[in-house]
């Protein structure tokens, strides 16, 4: 562990930039906190609860070109370039890092590995900024994904007074601090760190997920899905802001007569066309079947397929953005209240 | 699973269309071979597997392989014009190139079918993937018992592969039943050879079915499965010996994009062929 004074953070970020790394950090853009590239001399905004979107787009962009097709003599030839990026993701919250480590990595890096995600992930350094304050939707402690992490980062910063306590989580994290003269924290400073994290944890909402998979599995035919989906306007917002959602679509666009591209874009299981097949048949045509799919995937299917935790990091974004006020925690409570009332 | 061309997972190889013909007004049969730098690529597959076919600039979609693996070199597809990608494919001429990835999916469990009697039931376009299985079984005739094939279609104009099937009617290698929902026969060659009604109507004509040594394969429109499965169960064929090839939307083919997920599985990886036993133990499959 090291200590870095607040006013030295700029030096650290400048050093990474001079090492030819692309630094991505939180910025205040007209009142929204979003991750963007920190340009020369630009400093991150560190006074925020959480960003509007998780930083997954820097590993898995909302839209990216995965293939180019050009005609060579009389043949179309596909080619692709992998973008390695060499980025530092600075100031990510613990919940969003969990989204990357336990969910996106699991999906994209398992056999057969996704080359585009893999190239970006390999060269990305992760610098966590632990939370000091939750908002009313945050429930990361219930998901073991915050307010700070025990492992799974390169560096983790915890704000204590006028300084940041820096935890080093990997050799790559060690290298990020190369050349800087930093002091080791005192016992008091370590105690303060624990206090800050504990206080934040205590303020978080509790959403008890344990055992919910045992209850939901008998609720496939339950009325609950129709009830909840009455409030869904199928905007897909909950998917797009989720740090564990990964579904994508692939479509071609013609750039010019001699050049077309295959694009990959985020997709949402709440959108009606998500399961549209040849000839127009839609296997999840009723809105409630799509909402049910989302909750089953988060609370049961992911666990059944990969083991590990439920596919939720407690970031609260889906509840925050839902225009119909569908709240993840409330739905979990509804599911639990149906224990023993299964229709099936 | 090894892809034919896999430094980049989603990158297709280039294939050249060598022949095509219309099977009916909106279904076209394409034959293609690896082209250019991919000429030496060998595509190994099983009946019931699918591939991702690209019409460059229009997009990519999943298509069942219609050729049998026992006839090497040429890959065949039977494609219905149904959307953006297929419309573009229908504009292509012999010599034009398309992209191909795969094969993907599990295919029919040939190892469970060896030495057994087969009941193969196709509805409409479902004949396309089942053609691969039937031709494979005929090419390895001594490895199988009876081959019973029931093929239903809406009307005679929509019957696919009609010439080869009419020949099969006279063959002692396969017991073939053709049935049309509406059987108005204008052409003499069909006279008395096509039943009227649905595929389920044929089952009463099947004699001496030995459930202990029978494996069934079914592919057709979703509405067909339940009725056909009921008929197969009446013969006491085991639930784990009835195989259904199910359609879902697939975009990536490699278990990433999420479109074909049912329950905790990805159809593109663990399907598209499922036993009826799987089906009744999974939510939302048919």
């Amino acid at each position: 562990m090291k200590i870095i004074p607040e006013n030295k953070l700029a030096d650290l970020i400048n050093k990474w930039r001079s090492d030819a790394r692309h630094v991505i950090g939180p910025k205040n853009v007209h009142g929204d906190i979003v991750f963007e590239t920190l340009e020369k001399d630009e400093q991150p905004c560190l006074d925020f609860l959480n960003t509007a979107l998780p930083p997954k787009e820097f590993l898995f962009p909302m839209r990216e070109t995965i293939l180019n097709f050009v005609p060579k003599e009389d043949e179309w030839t596909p080619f692709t370039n992998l973008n390695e990026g060499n980025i530092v993701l600075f100031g990510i919250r613990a919940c969003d890092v969990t989204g990357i480590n336990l969910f996106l990595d699991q999906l994209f890096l398992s056999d057969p590995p996704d080359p585009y995600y893999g190239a970006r992930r390999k060269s990305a350094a992760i610098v966590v900024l632990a939370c000091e304050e939750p908002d009313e939707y945050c429930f990361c402690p219930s998901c073991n994904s915050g307010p700070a992490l025990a492992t799974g980062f390169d560096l983790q910063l915890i704000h204590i007074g006028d300084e940041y306590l820096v935890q080093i989580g990997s050799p790559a994290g060690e290298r990020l601090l190369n050349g800087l003269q930093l002091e080791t924290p005192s016992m008091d400073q370590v105690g303060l760190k624990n206090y800050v994290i504990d206080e934040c944890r205590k303020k978080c909402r509790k959403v008890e997920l344990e055992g919910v998979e045992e209850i939901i599995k008998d609720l496939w035919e339950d009325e609950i899905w129709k009830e909840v989906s009455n409030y869904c306007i199928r905007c897909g917002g909950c998917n797009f802001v989720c740090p564990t959602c990964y579904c994508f679509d692939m479509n071609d666009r013609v750039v010019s007569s001699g050049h077309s591209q295959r694009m990959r874009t985020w997709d949402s299981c709440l959108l009606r066309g998500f399961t549209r097949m040849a000839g127009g048949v839609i296997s999840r045509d009723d809105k409630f079947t799509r909402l049910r799919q989302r909750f089953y995937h988060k609370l049961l299917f992911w666990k059944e397929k990969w083991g590990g935790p439920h596919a939720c990091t407690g970031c609260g974004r889906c509840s925050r953005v839902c225009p119909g006020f569908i709240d993840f925690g409330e739905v979990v409570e509804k599911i639990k209240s149906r224990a023993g009332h299964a229709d099936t | 699973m090894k892809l034919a061309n896999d430094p980049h997972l989603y990158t297709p190889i280039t294939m050249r269309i060598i022949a095509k013909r219309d099977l009916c007004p909106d279904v076209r049969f394409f034959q293609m071979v690896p082209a250019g730098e991919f000429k030496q690529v060998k595509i190994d597959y099983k009946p019931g597997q699918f591939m991702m076919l690209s019409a460059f600039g229009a997009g990519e979609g999943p298509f069942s392989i219609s050729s049998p693996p026992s006839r090497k070199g040429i890959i065949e597809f039977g494609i219905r014009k149904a959307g953006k990608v297929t419309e573009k494919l229908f504009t292509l001429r012999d010599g034009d190139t398309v992209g191909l990835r795969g094969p993907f999916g599990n295919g029919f469990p040939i190892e469970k079918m060896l030495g057994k009697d087969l009941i193969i039931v196709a509805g409409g376009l479902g004949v396309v993937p089942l053609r691969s299985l039937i031709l494979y079984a005929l090419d390895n005739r001594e490895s199988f018992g009876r081959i019973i094939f029931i093929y239903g279609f809406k009307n005679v104009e929509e019957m696919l592969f009609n010439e080869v099937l009419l020949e099969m009617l006279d063959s002692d290698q396969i017991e073939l039943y053709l049935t049309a929902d509406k059987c108005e026969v204008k052409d003499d060659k069909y006279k008395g050879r096509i039943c009227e009604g649905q595929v389920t109507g044929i089952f009463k004509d099947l004699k001496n079915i030995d459930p202990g040594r029978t494996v069934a394969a079914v592919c057709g429109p979703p509405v067909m499965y339940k009725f056909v499965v009921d008929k197969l169960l009446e013969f006491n064929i085991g639930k784990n010996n009835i195989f259904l090839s199910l359609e879902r939307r697939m975009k990536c083919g490699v278990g990433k994009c999420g479109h074909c997920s049912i329950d905790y599985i990805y159809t593109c990886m663990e399907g598209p062929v499922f036993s009826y036993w799987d089906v009744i133990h999974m939510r939302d499959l048919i």
Side-chain angles (χ1 to χ4, degrees):
Chain A
M1 275 187 280
K2 298 285 177 196
I3 280 286
I4 185 164
E6 270 180 349
N7 57 14
K8 285 279 175 62
L9 265 188
D11 295 349
L12 191 57
I13 289 170
N14 287 336
K15 169 188 139 51
W16 295 335
R17 267 194 296 250
S18 68
D19 293 345
R21 304 200 66 144
H22 198 70
V23 184
I24 315 281
K27 283 209 267 197
N28 186 329
V29 179
H30 307 301
D32 282 330
I33 308 298
V34 293
F35 282 104
E36 280 190 4
T37 301
L38 299 176
E39 305 295 349
K40 190 170 185 302
D41 297 328
E42 204 175 17
Q43 293 305 318
C45 164
L46 296 175
D47 181 21
F48 66 100
L49 293 174
N50 204 352
T51 50
L53 287 173
K56 68 176 176 183
E57 63 180 292
F58 297 97
L59 303 174
F60 169 45
M62 287 177 206
R63 192 167 102 132
E64 67 179 317
T65 305
I66 58 168
L67 294 170
N68 285 277
F69 303 118
V70 288
K72 195 175 72 185
E73 292 162 14
D74 63 337
E75 285 157 14
W76 285 82
T77 309
F79 69 90
T80 185
N81 295 315
L82 293 182
N83 180 352
E84 300 225 345
N86 201 28
I87 57 173
V88 178
L89 285 172
F90 177 82
I92 319 184
R93 297 305 192 187
C95 53
D96 293 340
V97 179
T98 305
I100 294 168
N101 288 342
L102 297 190
F103 302 100
L104 301 185
D105 281 0
Q106 176 77 64
L107 189 279
F108 284 117
L109 301 182
S110 61
D111 191 47
D114 183 280
Y116 309 100
Y117 182 89
R120 290 194 176 87
R121 182 70 177 95
K122 196 173 60 182
S123 61
I126 289 183
V127 182
V128 178
L129 181 61
C131 285
E132 295 166 74
E133 196 69 42
D135 80 358
E136 71 264 42
Y137 294 109
C138 290
F139 60 94
C140 62
S142 305
C143 302
N144 286 322
S145 60
L149 289 177
T151 57
F153 51 83
D154 295 305
L155 294 178
Q156 176 164 260
L157 274 53
I158 300 117
H159 196 204
I160 47 168
D162 301 334
E163 292 158 319
Y164 286 93
L165 188 140
V166 185
Q167 291 176 303
I168 300 162
S170 72
E174 194 101 41
R175 284 195 294 277
L176 288 175
L177 299 179
N178 270 354
L180 288 169
Q181 299 300 320
L182 298 176
E183 287 177 21
T184 305
S186 66
M187 289 298 281
D188 284 352
Q189 285 170 316
V190 174
L192 191 53
K193 174 209 86 165
N194 294 338
Y195 175 79
V196 166
I197 293 169
D198 278 347
E199 284 304 297
C200 180
R201 180 181 289 120
K202 279 185 214 159
K203 288 183 206 160
C204 283
R205 174 186 185 188
K206 288 186 179 52
V207 176
E208 191 53 70
L209 290 173
E210 203 184 317
V212 71
E213 67 279 7
E214 289 300 321
I215 301 166
I216 195 176
K217 71 179 188 196
D218 295 325
L219 299 182
W220 190 252
E221 305 290 343
D222 199 278
E223 285 301 309
I224 182 176
W225 309 115
K226 283 184 181 150
E227 281 167 30
V228 176
S229 69
N230 276 335
Y231 300 91
C232 172
I233 63 163
R234 63 189 203 196
C235 66
C238 49
N239 295 123
F240 296 133
V241 300
C242 178
T244 76
C245 272
Y246 54 79
C247 287
F248 62 84
D249 200 0
M250 296 201 281
N251 287 294
D252 284 13
R253 66 187 276 257
V254 176
V255 181
S256 66
S257 62
H259 183 197
S260 62
Q261 292 179 325
R262 182 152 298 159
M263 316 295 295
R264 158 152 99 177
T265 51
W266 289 0
D267 205 350
S268 156
C269 60
L270 266 311
L271 304 181
R272 183 161 172 264
F274 188 78
T275 56
R276 182 182 288 126
M277 295 177 276
V281 178
I282 296 177
S283 54
R284 286 195 284 271
D285 200 3
D286 279 329
K287 188 171 64 174
F288 84 88
T289 63
R290 301 197 291 277
L291 182 117
R292 179 175 66 185
Q293 173 70 20
R294 173 170 160 80
F295 280 96
Y296 263 77
H297 187 253
K298 297 292 177 210
L299 298 174
L300 180 66
F301 296 160
W302 176 274
K303 255 175 116 66
E304 281 185 333
K305 181 166 178 64
W306 301 107
H310 302 93
C312 175
T313 69
C315 76
R317 286 191 183 86
C318 55
S319 304
R320 240 172 257 132
V321 301
C322 181
F325 303 105
I326 297 173
D327 174 72
F328 194 88
E330 279 176 22
V331 175
V332 168
E333 286 310 315
K334 250 185 208 291
I335 291 167
K336 286 180 357 198
S337 75
R338 303 294 293 158
H341 293 84
D343 289 348
T344 48
Chain B
M1 177 182 51
K2 265 280 165 259
L3 300 170
N5 166 42
D6 187 23
H8 298 313
L9 199 62
Y10 305 111
T11 312
I13 66 166
T14 310
M15 301 286 284
R16 190 177 304 285
I17 297 172
I18 55 166
K20 57 189 168 20
R21 63 191 158 87
D22 287 343
L23 298 175
C24 78
D26 63 345
V27 180
R28 190 169 289 178
F29 187 64
F30 291 87
Q31 292 180 303
M32 53 187 74
V33 294
E37 61 179 296
F38 303 107
K39 261 186 188 136
Q40 305 304 320
V41 171
K42 297 270 175 289
I43 301 173
D44 286 321
Y45 57 91
K46 287 169 72 177
Q49 284 193 298
F50 69 96
M51 299 191 81
M52 299 299 295
L53 187 55
S54 290
F56 297 122
E60 191 180 44
F63 296 92
S64 294
I65 306 168
S66 195
S67 45
S70 41
R71 299 177 193 179
K72 297 219 183 296
I74 300 176
I75 306 286
E76 296 166 337
F77 297 95
I79 294 172
R80 171 172 286 162
K81 199 201 275 192
K84 195 176 161 196
V85 175
T86 49
E87 270 165 26
K88 179 74 186 286
L89 289 172
F90 270 57
T91 66
L92 300 180
R93 291 167 299 195
D94 290 355
D96 284 348
T97 52
V98 294
L100 198 64
R101 291 193 293 133
F104 298 118
N106 55 356
F108 289 106
I110 296 293
E111 63 291 348
K112 289 191 76 171
M113 296 175 163
L114 293 175
K116 300 283 170 58
D117 294 344
L118 303 182
I119 299 180
I120 298 167
V121 186
L125 205 56
V127 70
V128 168
L130 289 173
R131 174 180 180 267
S132 174
L133 177 63
I134 291 163
L135 295 182
Y136 177 85
L138 290 173
D139 287 347
N140 298 278
R141 191 66 193 84
E142 69 291 349
S143 303
F144 298 90
R146 291 167 72 185
I147 301 174
I148 299 166
F149 176 35
I150 305 169
Y151 172 30
F153 33 89
K154 274 192 200 136
N155 52 54
V156 176
E157 288 70 40
E158 292 197 20
M159 174 180 168
L160 310 181
F161 306 111
N162 45 19
E163 276 157 27
V164 64
L165 288 175
L166 288 175
E167 273 174 34
M168 275 188 197
L169 275 178
D170 300 323
S171 160
D172 59 359
Q173 302 291 303
I174 182 166
E175 300 165 51
L176 173 62
Y177 299 84
L178 300 171
T179 179
D181 293 355
K182 248 188 157 163
C183 191
E184 288 168 7
V185 174
K186 294 186 194 101
D187 195 328
D188 270 357
K189 67 183 178 188
Y190 296 119
K191 267 215 174 103
R193 319 196 73 182
I194 299 175
C195 314
E196 185 158 77
Q198 281 156 349
V199 287
T200 44
I202 300 294
F203 283 80
K204 62 181 186 316
D205 301 331
L206 303 185
K207 298 288 180 258
N208 304 320
I209 299 299
D210 177 353
R213 53 164 294 152
T214 300
V215 177
V218 187
C219 188
V223 54
M224 189 184 92
Y225 290 104
K226 174 141 195 5
F227 298 104
V228 170
V229 167
D230 283 348
K231 291 289 173 191
L232 293 166
L233 293 176
E234 279 174 27
F235 282 129
N236 282 322
I237 297 169
K239 293 187 180 79
N240 57 348
N241 281 326
I242 297 172
F243 293 94
L244 314 175
S245 176
L246 304 180
E247 185 189 3
R248 278 295 180 277
R249 186 182 192 207
M250 289 125 177
K251 286 301 245 185
C252 75
V254 291
K256 307 289 182 203
C257 81
H259 283 89
C260 69
S261 74
I262 306 175
D263 219 305
Y264 64 95
I265 59 136
Y266 286 106
T267 318
C268 70
M269 303 285 277
E270 280 146 276
V273 176
F274 295 94
S275 75
Y276 185 60
W277 180 260
D278 293 333
V279 168
I280 57 182
H281 288 90
M282 246 181 274
R283 302 165 186 93
D284 222 14
L285 211 46
I286 57 174

